[in-house]
Amino acid sequence: GQNIDQPTEMTATEGAIVQINCTYQTSGFNGLFWYQQHAGEAPTFLSYNVLDGLEEKGRFSSFLSRSKGYSYLLLKELQMKDSASYLCAVNNAGNMLTFGGGTRLMVKP
Amino acid sequence: GAVVSQHPSRVICKSGTSVKIECRSLDFQATTMFWYRQFPKKSLMLMATSNEGSKATYEQGVEKDKFLINHASLTLSTLTVTSAHPEDSSFYICSAKSGGTDTQYFGPGTRLTVL
């Protein structure tokens, strides 16, 4: 079966750092995506990890450990506009995406 | 690059009518397009996968006769919700990918309300 877990909600302060975790158990694994989704809008691509390790892109970084079935998205220097849902999605056999439930991040001043 | 559009963005229809939603890849050729459904405060649920020129593959529990998918060209896929009912009201999102990449790019979504 497919099981992807991430926290439902998180709150952080503007300017701080926040880490959103994602654990997965899936049949087949080709890589892991992180998407950002603002309310009422479509998801936008943030990162794609295929190999173990940390990938950094500006304020956002994503980490993957395939042996542990674990990933995290790290957001630095938080801004109010970072308030959104963050979706972890596994690219499994057949290049189909299975999404986690999403983490709603609220950034407070 | 990698822009996907959807039309319409919002649609309100009466129960029993059919609604067509278009998904277009604007600056790349999409060999595969995906249709998702999203309920409020929930994640995306894959409905079907369509490859250009072939029949769509539907996920378990999705009625293929109710949700008709056509992927007639490398830049266009359509989803038709037939005989719509209020329970079909939802946010429908398409995504597209080209053959050379694993990344799916999402359209802006279509909010369907069935009265």
Side-chain angles (χ1 to χ4, degrees), chain A residues 4-8 22 33-37 41 43 85-90 97-104, chain B residues 35-47 90-93 106:
Chain A
I4 302 176
D5 287 318
Q6 37 180 145
T8 308
C22 172
F33 286 94
W34 283 96
Y35 284 90
Q36 180 193 61
Q37 186 179 26
E41 298 180 11
S85 286
Y86 291 86
L87 308 176
C88 167
V90 169
L97 291 185
T98 302
F99 282 85
T103 299
R104 215 157 43 249
Chain B
W35 286 96
Y36 295 85
R37 185 172 177 176
Q38 187 175 33
F39 292 100
K41 297 186 179 181
K42 298 290 184 184
S43 193
L44 283 76
M45 299 294 294
L46 179 65
M47 297 175 66
S90 193
F91 193 49
Y92 292 89
I93 307 176
F106 287 83

